[in-house]
Amino acid sequence: MPAPLYVAHLRQHSSESVRALCVLAGVPCKATGAWAERQIEITAAEKLCIVAEPGATGSVRISMKRRSARQDARTALAVLAYGLHDLVAKQSVKGQSWTRVKPPPGRPKLGRRPLSNAERQRRFRLRHRTSACERTS
């Protein structure tokens, strides 16, 4: 997630409150007051970009690839929660399955704990063990 760019004043054309994004995303809004009325503008772009006014109630513009209204709202809430550390968004999306981070490609899909360094070294030595005849020649 890219770092947000902070500006003194953000001019918005069409925006929605965090509360409205929660309704679109299908999650209950876990706050009231000015925090829940923070204005968020979602615009179309190839790469994710976050522009925000300073403060907990400042306006935010999130540029991203557009999909359905529900998916856009969910992505915007996740960006607010984990990119700007917005407490309203973070509490509202906490525990939702769509906010889980996917493991990177190549990671084992087994549900076991990672091997210790000693176990990895033991397995490496077993794979690369040579016989006594090969070492003397």
Side-chain angles (χ1 to χ4, degrees):
M1 186 164 307
L5 171 67
Y6 289 97
V7 295
H9 180 70
L10 184 62
R11 185 170 298 179
Q12 294 182 325
H13 300 288
S14 64
S15 61
E16 301 203 31
S17 66
V18 174
R19 180 182 312 285
L21 288 176
C22 288
V23 170
L24 281 172
V27 296
C29 185
K30 301 282 178 116
T32 59
W35 287 17
E37 300 307 319
R38 184 179 201 174
Q39 294 300 301
I40 312 300
E41 180 182 25
I42 301 173
T43 60
E46 285 298 313
K47 288 187 172 185
L48 180 63
C49 180
I50 309 163
V51 181
E53 291 177 354
T57 58
S59 299
V60 178
R61 178 181 298 131
I62 301 172
S63 301
M64 62 183 170
K65 289 183 181 179
R66 300 296 301 262
R67 294 184 293 255
S68 68
R70 175 177 228 151
Q71 191 62 38
D72 289 348
R74 287 180 171 185
T75 302
L77 285 172
V79 167
L80 287 170
Y82 303 112
L84 287 176
H85 301 288
D86 182 282
L87 293 177
V88 176
K90 195 175 282 192
Q91 289 301 315
S92 297
V93 302
K94 183 171 73 174
Q96 299 294 321
S97 62
W98 45 268
T99 60
R100 289 196 189 113
V101 177
K102 311 270 186 294
R107 182 180 177 136
K109 297 199 184 331
L110 301 174
R112 60 185 165 159
R113 293 175 43 193
L115 299 174
S116 68
N117 284 341
E119 180 62 21
R120 289 187 318 104
Q121 186 65 37
R122 186 185 73 75
R123 289 184 182 189
F124 176 82
R125 288 183 179 142
L126 283 175
R127 282 193 312 268
H128 292 87
R129 182 175 284 167
T130 57
S131 67
C133 296
E134 292 175 17
R135 277 186 250 147
T136 57
S137 50

